């Protein structure tokens, strides 16, 4: 199964050679000096970029790691991307009953032995196709800013955190 990560990376390289653009296993945005990083996937990534740009304009060191391959999870790439982060938030659009979202669970597992003590905040937003707006994403970063430790359970209502 681990070979699949290498195969996916190789196919992405071939695609880039053929069509002039590649996507990679992980889309990293403004991570070079990010202290607070959002991890997500899919369409939330585009919305997150706009919110992160706005936060950056305010002097906040926010970044994005958008996962493009989930199984097998690109553990080495994600660990490398998050090695300088102080806090990480994951937005899941799914829920594993009694647990957090599947991305958050997978990320915590990947980071468990790789980055000791990194708080990972799990947010479950956008269930049933509801919109996740820049206001929600800003709320995620504001929540992380106010808390030193993740609560250990998923956070569902971030809009209420904004006032």
């Amino acid at each position: 199964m681990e070979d699949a990560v290498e195969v996916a990376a190789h196919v992405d390289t071939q695609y880039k050679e053929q069509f002039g653009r590649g996507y990679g296993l992980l889309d990293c945005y403004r991570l070079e000096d990010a202290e607070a990083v959002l991890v997500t996937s899919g369409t939330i990534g585009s919305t997150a970029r706009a919110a992160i740009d706005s936060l950056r304009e305010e002097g906040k060191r926010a970044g994005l790691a958008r996962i493009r391959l989930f199984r097998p999870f690109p553990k080495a790439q994600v660990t490398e991307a998050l090695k300088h982060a102080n806090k990480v938030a994951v937005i899941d659009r799914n829920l594993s009953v009694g647990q957090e979202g599947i991305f958050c669970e997978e990320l915590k597992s990947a980071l468990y032995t790789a980055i000791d003590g990194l708080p990972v905040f799990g947010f479950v937003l956008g269930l049933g196709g509801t919109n996740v707006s820049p206001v929600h994403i800003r709320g995620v970063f504001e929540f992380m800013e106010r808390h030193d430790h993740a609560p250990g359970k998923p956070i569902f209502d971030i809009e209420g955190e904004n006032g």
Side-chain angles (χ1 to χ4, degrees), residues 78-79 82 88 106-116 118 120:
V78 171
T79 301
L82 299 179
V88 174
E106 195 73 24
L107 181 69
K108 284 181 175 182
S109 175
L111 297 177
Y112 182 71
T113 58
I115 303 176
D116 188 36
L118 179 64
V120 178

Side-chain angles (χ1 to χ4, degrees), residues 13-56:
T13 300
Q14 289 178 319
Y15 185 89
K16 185 174 184 177
E17 290 169 1
Q18 182 71 31
F19 297 103
R21 67 183 183 278
Y23 297 98
L25 306 181
L26 190 66
D27 173 23
C28 297
Y29 185 69
R30 303 193 84 168
L31 284 185
E32 59 282 344
D33 66 341
E35 293 178 346
V37 177
L38 175 63
V39 176
T40 193
S41 67
T43 58
I44 294 176
S46 298
T47 305
R49 284 176 180 253
I52 287 167
D53 287 342
S54 175
L55 290 165
R56 285 287 183 146

Side-chain angles (χ1 to χ4, degrees), residues 71-86:
R71 291 281 190 245
F73 196 76
K75 180 179 178 178
Q77 292 86 347
V78 171
T79 301
E80 179 65 24
L82 299 179
K83 69 181 180 185
H84 298 298
N86 294 334

